[in-house]
Amino acid sequence: MKKRNILLLLATMTVVLAGCGSKDKEVSSPDHVVDLTLDASYGEVTLCDYRSLTGEKPIYETSEEDIDGEIEMLLYDYAEYEELNGPAVAGDYISAYLTAESGGELLIDFADEVYEIILGDEEFGPEFDKKLDGVSVGDELAFSIDYDESFEDEDFAGQTVDFTIKVSAISRETYPELTETFVKETLGYSSKEDMRSQIANDLSQANEEQSVAELQENLVQSLIEQSTFGSYTQEVYDYCNSSVRENYSYYAEMFGIADINEVYEMFDMTEDDVEEEILAQVHRMIAVQAIATENSISVSDEEFNDYAKDLAEMNDYESVEQFLEDYDEFSIRYGCLEEKVLDLLMEHATVNEVPAVLDEM
């Protein structure tokens, strides 16, 4: 198995355990870049004044709703499921034999195996859930729904869909009561107040780490946009090519997609977009190395070991040795070098704090 390349993932300050490449589309093997080192020539660049960059730092606030959400996630580990005959209410899990047909075409066929429905999630729209509200085990339903052209499922949009359903089981998720006894003896906090306080502190720390990561990324983008790049070596291009394509191969594996081109379509990307992303990584490496050289920044063996240990712990490896079996040494050394360069950029940057804009789910 080839070593995994973490360059792209380190650039976003998050290490995701990727697969070992797609079998359906060749990607550059890292074998030909085994000699790539922090001292190797990556390419030409005329750096901007990187000691006077300006970057935005999004500030994330910790709300009471955020704390409640974390507590709910804690309780999720202790959830129990009660089997019921009915009637089903919002939030219940309904196991049913299900078919959906439109114009003679079978859109969903679970006639011989159960399909899991969470009542209230509106997977097939609100009207579908209304039809199932109050059902009991053994109920059989047959109904049609006219879907609007704007419905999110393209197979259903603008169609009249005929459903048949036979309910085989209903279960209800229940959570333990959040008593002081449960908080102390099960969750390990001294009190409810202590629990909320510790969770708030953890969230604030995580928010700050996220803010810093986004600031660093904003500074790097400014650095690349304001610098002028010349030629680059084949070795660094091949390395970045492997990194970027391996990242998308990870998504292909995660979503069970055989053809990597389907992943590009999922992200609304063309081959030109992928190439642009590869070159952006090339320029990033060239700029980082140039700044490191100008400022005599290097990575000692001790720093490498500490950095690898942190990454191993972050990704739940039992040991650094096990982590190093999966990830190549150079990409880890480069990740450590880049982190030190990012610290330098932040030290001299003009930082504008702005309210974070949260993506709507």
Side-chain angles (χ1 to χ4, degrees):
M1 184 184 295
K2 71 181 184 180
K3 296 277 188 170
R4 296 168 183 169
N5 184 314
I6 60 174
L7 168 63
L8 184 62
L9 304 175
L10 285 170
T12 60
M13 301 306 294
T14 303
V15 177
V16 178
L17 304 185
C20 296
S22 168
K23 295 179 180 178
D24 301 280
K25 182 179 178 67
E26 288 189 8
V27 297
S28 298
S29 166
D31 293 342
H32 60 280
V33 292
V34 291
D35 294 329
L36 194 61
T37 67
L38 298 185
D39 298 324
S41 174
Y42 298 166
E44 301 172 346
V45 61
T46 301
L47 293 169
C48 64
D49 183 6
Y50 56 85
R51 292 178 179 272
S52 62
L53 294 173
T54 298
E56 287 190 347
K57 180 182 179 183
I59 302 300
Y60 293 87
E61 300 293 340
T62 301
S63 68
E64 291 300 312
E65 289 77 11
D66 294 331
I67 297 172
D68 290 338
E70 290 296 311
I71 293 174
E72 184 175 336
M73 290 179 64
L74 280 176
L75 294 178
Y76 184 79
D77 291 336
Y78 303 93
E80 296 181 353
Y81 296 87
E82 178 186 3
E83 297 295 327
L84 307 171
N85 286 322
V89 299
D92 284 350
Y93 293 77
I94 299 175
S95 300
Y97 298 100
L98 165 70
T99 65
E101 184 177 332
S102 179
E105 180 184 357
L106 198 59
L107 304 178
I108 297 176
D109 184 9
F110 277 81
D112 298 320
E113 57 181 314
V114 295
Y115 189 92
E116 298 296 338
I117 301 163
I118 302 178
L119 190 58
D121 273 13
E122 300 183 354
E123 179 183 1
F124 301 113
E127 188 174 343
F128 178 90
D129 279 30
K130 287 180 182 178
K131 297 287 187 181
L132 269 67
D133 189 30
V135 296
S136 298
V137 174
D139 284 354
E140 296 185 31
L141 296 83
F143 55 85
S144 300
I145 296 178
D146 296 323
Y147 285 92
D148 190 83
E149 291 284 354
S150 62
F151 189 69
E152 58 185 12
D153 189 322
E154 294 180 357
D155 291 335
F156 288 11
Q159 304 295 320
T160 296
V161 180
D162 303 316
F163 291 95
T164 64
I165 295 173
K166 181 177 180 179
V167 179
S168 63
I170 299 172
S171 62
R172 183 166 299 163
E173 189 177 56
T174 59
Y175 292 90
E177 185 179 353
L178 196 63
T179 63
E180 290 286 350
T181 299
F182 181 82
V183 166
K184 292 178 182 179
E185 296 182 0
T186 305
L187 299 182
Y189 297 99
S190 62
S191 65
K192 288 185 182 180
E193 183 180 353
D194 174 53
M195 176 185 65
R196 295 190 71 86
S197 176
Q198 288 194 45
I199 290 175
N201 288 337
D202 290 343
L203 286 173
S204 295
Q205 181 178 339
N207 285 339
E208 175 61 16
E209 291 172 356
Q210 177 69 21
S211 294
V212 169
E214 292 188 36
L215 167 62
Q216 289 175 331
E217 201 58 29
N218 291 337
L219 291 174
V220 168
Q221 294 310 311
S222 257
L223 169 69
I224 293 173
E225 290 169 3
Q226 297 179 43
S227 299
T228 303
F229 295 89
S231 62
Y232 49 83
T233 65
Q234 185 64 43
E235 288 77 13
V236 77
Y237 175 85
D238 288 342
Y239 182 77
C240 294
N241 179 52
S242 176
S243 175
V244 169
R245 295 190 186 278
E246 202 169 308
N247 196 50
Y248 287 109
S249 292
Y250 158 73
Y251 284 110
E253 183 176 319
M254 182 172 67
F255 291 110
I257 298 174
D259 187 352
I260 193 68
N261 290 301
E262 292 183 26
V263 178
Y264 297 151
E265 291 175 5
M266 182 174 68
F267 288 100
D268 197 24
M269 296 182 70
T270 65
E271 187 64 35
D272 287 342
D273 294 325
V274 177
E275 180 67 18
E276 185 178 335
E277 190 172 330
I278 293 167
L279 290 178
Q281 291 300 319
V282 168
H283 291 160
R284 184 189 193 107
M285 287 188 70
I286 293 172
V288 165
Q289 184 195 48
I291 293 174
T293 300
E294 283 190 6
N295 293 274
S296 300
I297 298 174
S298 60
V299 177
S300 68
D301 288 342
E302 182 179 0
E303 289 171 326
F304 166 79
N305 290 329
D306 289 342
Y307 191 67
K309 181 180 179 181
D310 288 343
L311 292 177
E313 291 177 355
M314 186 189 308
N315 290 282
D316 297 325
Y317 277 81
E318 293 181 358
S319 67
V320 174
E321 291 73 22
Q322 187 185 66
F323 179 73
L324 293 177
E325 288 177 3
D326 285 345
Y327 289 95
D328 69 275
E329 179 178 336
F330 167 73
S331 63
I332 297 171
R333 285 190 179 275
Y334 172 80
C336 185
L337 181 76
E338 178 172 293
E339 188 170 288
K340 296 173 77 172
V341 169
L342 290 174
D343 287 342
L344 175 69
L345 296 183
M346 286 198 301
E347 180 184 349
H348 296 281
T350 299
V351 178
N352 297 324
E353 296 188 349
V354 297
V357 178
L358 302 179
D359 293 331
E360 292 186 5
M361 299 299 290

